[in-house]
Amino acid sequence: MQERWHPDPEEHRAALANGIRMAAREGARLVCLQELTLSRYFAITADGPKAAGAEPEDLERGPTVSFAGELAAETGAYVHASLYERADGPDGLGYNTAVLLSPDGQLVSRTRKLHIPVTAGYYEDRYFRQGPADGDPFPVTTLTIGDSDAHFGMPTCWDQWFPELARAYSLEGAEVLIYPTAIGSEPDHPDFDTEPLWQQVIVAEGIANGTFMVAINRIGTEDPITFYGSSFISDPYGRVLVQAPRDEPAVLVADLDLDQRQDWLELFPFLRTRRPDAYAKLTERG
């Protein structure tokens, strides 16, 4: 679901909760929420967390996990959310972390954002460390939904632009990639609309890797950025199954036929015909 940020915390939580309940009533077994789910997008200033009034939270007992866990337990659906995770260390930085809560309200998995933007209006390097710091950089979470197992990767926003990441998840067996997102206008290029490029690159990575792609963006203006919504779900064949508008809240529900992944990769066996022996230059910094 996509939503704007409401300055009143209770109003914001109520809007998200209503969307989660609506999705569950429509049969959703997994509900996905936008990047930094409970907060405004604070990385608009390069001055860091104190100047922005941004407060990192505990991963397991913080407000985001508590909120998502309560709604998961209430609705019987898995709930995916995103938060500013507190981390120890002298640099004062935390992590941009996606989490998944099970229908019994328990934390199932967490994935820390791997790539951090450093562009005007998106000064995330002043707030977040590069993930993961420990563990697998491309963790795949297996959920039993109905009678079948489904395999999910849960990177975040800026990770969308890196084809190596989608390929790595696909090689690990991910069938669905979920990207909580906060993207919109470019403060230093106000007339440049990146929305078509953003969608094209995500859909194309789904095609190249045989994965469903779920992108959840926010809407509204949080000066100096106007977020362009347009959340969508695409399949391995490059078809956009459902899409939200640019400027309105939306709840999107889609049935995913996960057998399409294997069908597509049998037709176009990208993974089997790779040449990793020729890719050494990919590990060199440009």
Side-chain angles (χ1 to χ4, degrees):
M1 63 166 290
Q2 77 175 24
E3 184 56 73
R4 63 174 41 84
W5 174 65
H6 300 265
D8 182 314
E10 292 308 312
E11 181 182 355
H12 186 66
R13 288 170 182 247
L16 294 173
N18 287 339
I20 295 169
R21 293 176 183 126
M22 182 185 299
R25 287 197 300 269
E26 293 297 318
R29 304 296 300 276
L30 168 61
V31 183
C32 305
L33 306 176
Q34 63 214 33
E35 185 178 12
L36 301 174
T37 302
L38 293 185
S39 76
R40 66 187 177 91
Y41 182 75
F42 46 74
I44 56 173
T45 174
D47 297 329
K50 289 185 179 179
E55 185 66 33
E57 59 182 272
D58 182 78
L59 175 65
E60 296 188 359
R61 294 177 296 279
T64 301
V65 163
S66 297
F67 170 79
E70 290 170 6
L71 269 295
E74 175 190 326
T75 61
Y78 288 92
V79 175
H80 159 276
S82 165
L83 59 96
Y84 181 18
E85 180 191 351
R86 181 178 294 113
D88 296 328
D91 60 9
L93 302 181
Y95 292 104
N96 190 329
T97 303
V99 293
L100 184 67
L101 283 297
S102 65
D104 61 3
Q106 299 301 305
L107 180 64
V108 173
S109 64
R110 66 107 172 102
T111 304
R112 291 167 173 162
K113 189 172 184 176
L114 201 62
H115 301 89
I116 305 298
V118 295
T119 57
Y122 303 87
Y123 298 103
E124 294 193 18
D125 60 316
R126 310 299 175 88
Y127 300 81
F128 306 123
R129 299 177 186 174
Q130 295 176 327
D134 58 73
D136 186 350
F138 311 108
V140 174
T141 300
T142 301
L143 304 179
T144 301
I145 298 178
D147 297 326
S148 302
D149 287 343
H151 308 290
F152 296 87
M154 295 179 288
T156 295
C157 197
W158 192 242
D159 289 331
Q160 296 157 341
W161 298 93
F162 296 86
E164 302 92 340
L165 179 135
R167 175 55 52 87
Y169 271 108
S170 181
L171 290 169
E172 292 291 332
E175 297 163 307
V176 184
L177 296 187
I178 302 169
Y179 291 98
T181 300
I183 190 170
S185 56
E186 302 294 330
D188 55 350
H189 293 81
D191 297 323
F192 182 30
D193 180 15
T194 63
E195 190 278 334
L197 307 179
W198 167 75
Q199 179 165 321
Q200 288 170 26
V201 77
I202 297 170
V203 171
E205 288 175 6
I207 294 169
N209 293 290
T211 53
F212 291 86
M213 307 298 258
V214 181
I216 318 100
N217 197 13
R218 61 173 67 200
I219 58 171
T221 297
E222 299 173 41
D223 193 49
I225 299 173
T226 297
F227 297 97
Y228 49 59
S230 306
S231 304
F232 68 92
I233 302 172
S234 62
D235 71 12
Y237 287 81
R239 298 172 294 203
V240 175
L241 304 179
V242 286
Q243 180 147 37
R246 290 180 67 112
D247 56 0
E248 297 177 8
V251 174
L252 306 177
V253 179
D255 291 321
L256 306 186
D257 179 1
L258 298 183
D259 289 339
Q260 288 180 4
R261 169 176 165 81
Q262 195 56 45
D263 292 343
W264 174 247
L265 290 177
E266 285 295 326
L267 181 62
F268 284 89
F270 300 128
L271 303 187
R272 287 193 287 110
T273 56
R274 295 179 311 118
R275 284 289 310 280
D277 59 295
Y279 300 156
K281 282 192 175 292
L282 293 180
T283 64
E284 301 174 4
R285 269 194 185 272

